[in-house]
Structure formats: structure tokens, C-alpha cells
Amino acid sequence: MLIEQNLPDWIRIKKSKRVITHDLDGEENGYLVDILNRHDDIFQGREEEPFQQVYYTSVYRGMFKGFHIHPKKIDTVSSVFGRSLLVLYPELPTQGSQSFKMDLDKLLVIPLDADEDMLTVSFPSKY
């Protein structure tokens, strides 16, 4: 539903898209929503701000969102609803490495629970 009224020109509205995500078997495991991205029209005139992106992601109960690498950004995550585990691996695979073996004993597991202590966790790119 779009707002159908005359709004001042200093108010900007972006229709955010919900993107369904899938696990390695192709099963739907949640979704993400790109809330604000520095490349959006809604960000016009603010290009000098040191900002990149805010997005919301969900994972369905009992599902797993796999490991992936963001090569050039600092990630900051928090749980706003429910419980989840943020799992990080402290070693960086080399680019193009096809034989990387993960040592599961080295996994860093951080519980995120919106009903308990609301934690916000920040970590550098490539982890």
C-alpha cells in the first residue's frame, strides 16, 4: 500500500523488496529486506555520509543460513525477534581456495536472543 496523500518534498519513501533466501539444497530458509542502501534514490543528496547499507534478514525456525563472506564491509548484527546463533570462523580462506577445510572446533558461537540480553555484534569484513 502506497501512501496516497500530498507529502512535503522533504519526505522520501522507498518501497523495500523482500528477497527469499535458500539453503544449499534449494529449500527456502528465510528472507532479507534491503532497508537502506547508499545506492538507493532515497539516499540522494547524502552521498558524503560514511554509510553503506542497513538490511533485515530472517531465518525460519530450525533452518540454517550458510557461511558467506562479505569481502569489503564491516558487519554489525543484532536479533530483534527470537533466538539465533551467530557463528563465525576466525580464519580467513585464501581467495579462490577450493580445498579450504573448516576446523569445527574453532567456530565462534555467539547466542543472540531478543528476549534476553539484546546484543549487537560487530566484526570486520571477511569473517
Side-chain angles (χ1 to χ4, degrees):
M1 169 181 89
L2 290 176
I3 299 172
E4 296 186 22
Q5 61 185 5
N6 292 326
L7 296 173
D9 60 358
W10 49 266
I11 294 177
R12 296 182 181 169
I13 298 174
K14 170 191 171 184
K15 184 174 182 176
S16 298
K17 296 179 193 169
R18 180 186 304 232
V19 177
I20 303 298
T21 58
H22 300 87
D23 64 17
L24 289 176
D25 296 325
E27 189 172 349
E28 186 176 321
N29 63 1
Y31 61 91
L32 64 86
V33 178
D34 188 22
I35 296 170
L36 182 59
N37 189 306
R38 73 175 298 103
H39 302 292
D40 292 338
D41 291 341
I42 198 171
F43 203 71
Q44 185 177 11
R46 299 171 57 187
E47 294 83 4
E48 298 304 315
E49 292 181 23
F51 167 84
Q52 293 298 315
Q53 179 182 36
V54 173
Y55 69 92
Y56 168 87
T57 187
S58 73
V59 62
Y60 299 144
R61 182 182 303 272
M63 299 300 289
F64 173 79
K65 287 212 176 179
F67 288 103
H68 60 282
I69 295 173
H70 293 161
K72 294 184 180 181
K73 72 174 184 172
I74 295 172
D75 281 308
T76 304
V77 299
S78 184
S79 178
V80 296
F81 179 81
R83 293 182 304 217
S84 60
L85 296 174
L86 174 63
V87 181
L88 302 169
Y89 193 67
E91 296 178 7
L92 299 175
T94 57
Q95 186 172 3
S97 173
Q98 299 298 321
S99 62
F100 179 75
K101 300 287 185 204
M102 187 178 293
D103 180 351
L104 299 180
D105 292 329
K106 293 182 179 180
L107 293 176
L108 305 172
V109 179
I110 302 168
L112 301 175
D113 187 342
D115 296 329
E116 295 292 327
D117 294 328
M118 290 194 71
L119 302 177
T120 298
V121 182
S122 188
F123 49 94
S125 63
K126 300 181 183 173
Y127 292 97

